[in-house]
Each structure stands twice: as structure tokens, then as C-alpha cells.
Amino acid sequence: MNSGRDICFAAEPTLGKLAKWLRLLGFDTSYDPVVSTKKNMDSGRKNCILLTRTKRIRDAKLQQECIFIWSNNPFDQLREVIDTLGINYTDTHPFSRCIRCNTRIQPVEKESVRRNVPDFIWQTCDIFKICGRCRRIYWPGSHTQRSHDIIMRLFDRYDHR
Ligand SMILES: [Zn+2]
């Protein structure tokens, strides 16, 4: 991928799972299940790459860069995006963004989240991050091992160990 390029995505309402995965990889991805693709296109995210499954949109002469997603399977959809743009593992920043609202998460004082995480987690973890927008709290392990495995599989990282 061209380094220095700050890519962002605008995902169609049908691509919720794909949007979540792109956020998990750290990519700025707008997605709203009730905002139409047309509105998304008009929403000032014109510099972002539109992800669509709508042939009418693919075939329209858009100003905006667009990737047409073929697969029904979220993992394969993710692979389509990664392959089309030539994204490498080093282009990603896994677990740096809130998967619920797309905001970058920030470190937070352990003491301040005491009442907001399960006791067991508070006692065993020392590093916490918070989403400044929706206040969701993240800690190592709050993203499952499964997510990690899927990312490793996506970039074939297991082969290089
Ligand atoms: Zn959030």
C-alpha cells in the first residue's frame, strides 16, 4: 500500500460486519445501518473509499473511489478490501479504534475505570483504554483471541513465525 496515505472507508448499511472488522484493524470506517448509501456518499466523506454491494452504485460514474464487494462472507469481504488495496499487516493498527463507534481509543487511568469493568478484570489487568465518545472500555483480552487469530490468518502471519 502507498505509505503515507490515510485511508478511510464508508460502508454501506449491508456491510456491518465488514465495517466492524475494518475498525478492528484500525481503519476509519463510517457505517450506520440506517443511513443510506446515498446519504453516506453525500456526508462529507467523499475522500473515503465507498464499500458497496450495490451494482447500480458500482456502475454509476462516481467521483468517489469505490470497491464493489462480491462475497457474502465477512472474512472474504475483508480479504477483498485488503487485496484490492494491497494492504499489509504493517499498514494496520489492530485494536486501536472503538468497534462500536469508530473513535480512536485512548489510555485511561486504571483507578478511574474501577466501577466500569468486572472486578476480576480490574484485579488482573493494568492497562485500560477508553472510547471518548461512547465510553466503552477496552483492555488486553477484551478483544477475543479469536479476533487476533482471524487477523493473523488474514495476513498469513502464522507462516512467518
Ligand atoms: Zn465508542
Side-chain angles (χ1 to χ4, degrees), residues 9-25:
F9 299 101
E12 212 171 67
T14 52
L15 294 168
K17 284 208 172 111
L18 173 61
K20 213 167 145 182
W21 275 105
L22 287 166
R23 288 174 182 173
L24 201 71
L25 288 175

Side-chain angles (χ1 to χ4, degrees), residues 98 100-103 131 133-136:
C98 180
R100 189 155 65 189
C101 73
N102 194 38
T103 307
C131 169
R133 189 156 163 215
C134 75
R135 313 304 290 172
R136 181 168 173 163

